[in-house]
Amino acid sequence: MAEGNRRRIVAGNWKMHGARAALEALASGLAARPANPSESAPEVAVFPPFPYLSAVKRALEAGQAEGGIAVRMGAQDVSAHTEGARTGEVSAPMLADCGCRYVLVGHSERRASCGETDEQVARKFVRAASESLIPVLCVGETLGERNAGRTAEVVLRQLEAVLERVGAGGFGTAVLAYEPVWAIGTGQTATPEQAQEVHAVLRAAIARADAKIAAALRILYGGSVKGANAAALFAQPDIDGGLVGGASLDLKDFWRIITA
Ligand code: 13P
């Protein structure tokens, strides 16, 4: 268990991978794993593509009904608006309606390829939280920014954009994810020490506003987490679990991470 009695989360971001049958099978396989009543068992969540949310939810519930583990679900993005003429967007109430508990906001792939700004990410965070979803705010630096010694500056800027709007109270239920862009999908994981250093910087920034909320805040690491490196990462005092991409599509490896 992470420090401060924070319950670890292991979350699988399935990105734009798979198709209905494969993702249903993955969800069923995961939810068929025997439930672990131990208090130190992590919370498990998956983030399927939008069209498969309902199918995955059904598969997860069916597994749990037969004695398998509880797996929560989240979406990979959310609109900053509640409803209206917004072609292609998906609102927070729709996600809640489909059984989502979590939603990623500000994933680096959306910041990079969809041009999402800190300001837009902050608005999505606010919208998700106001609809009872738990936002998972993703922050992280590029390789160029790291090499220029700007890691802390970049992640703090991304965090501050949200903190300014919601205050420390907004992080009472939210989750933070540190995902160095250079480690995503590259096989090049941040070392446990590199990740810990940034997690500590993030927690300290929240602590300046509210020490109690900071101590309870769960900060996940994402970026080439695998069965083989998860335990060393999760052993760090400020790392409270993982946001896993590629390895979450492989049931065996994802389970190794969950049980790390
Ligand atoms: P990988 O685990 O494939 O590096 O992806 C990490 C990620 O982006 C999770 O959101």
Side-chain angles (χ1 to χ4, degrees), residues 7 27 36 44 50 63 65 74 112 153 195 208 220 224 242:
R7 187 174 179 205
N36 175 358
V44 179
F50 288 135
E153 172 205 323
R208 283 193 285 279
L220 313 185
S224 297

Side-chain angles (χ1 to χ4, degrees), residues 13 15 104 107 109 179 183-186 222-225 243-247:
N13 175 6
K15 306 194 179 184
L104 303 182
H107 192 283
E109 285 153 14
E179 297 206 308
I184 295 178
T186 59
S224 297
V225 177
L243 182 53
V244 185

Side-chain angles (χ1 to χ4, degrees), residues 73-161:
M73 192 174 72
Q76 299 171 18
D77 184 35
V78 62
S79 173
H81 306 274
T82 309
E83 63 150 21
R86 308 233 168 235
T87 303
E89 294 205 40
V90 179
S91 73
M94 290 171 184
L95 297 178
D97 206 18
C98 290
C100 288
R101 179 175 178 87
Y102 291 104
V103 64
L104 303 182
V105 293
H107 192 283
S108 63
E109 285 153 14
R110 296 203 56 84
R111 292 181 192 261
S113 70
C114 306
E116 281 189 17
T117 62
D118 291 341
E119 165 73 18
Q120 284 167 328
V121 171
R123 282 197 278 122
K124 290 181 174 203
F125 184 105
V126 170
R127 180 61 59 205
S130 71
E131 303 292 343
S132 309
L133 292 169
I134 299 177
V136 180
L137 173 65
C138 304
V139 300
E141 83 288 5
T142 62
L143 186 58
E145 289 163 342
R146 171 161 283 264
N147 289 342
R150 294 182 50 220
T151 299
E153 172 205 323
V154 170
V155 298
L156 288 177
R157 188 203 74 221
Q158 293 170 334
L159 175 62
E160 290 293 342

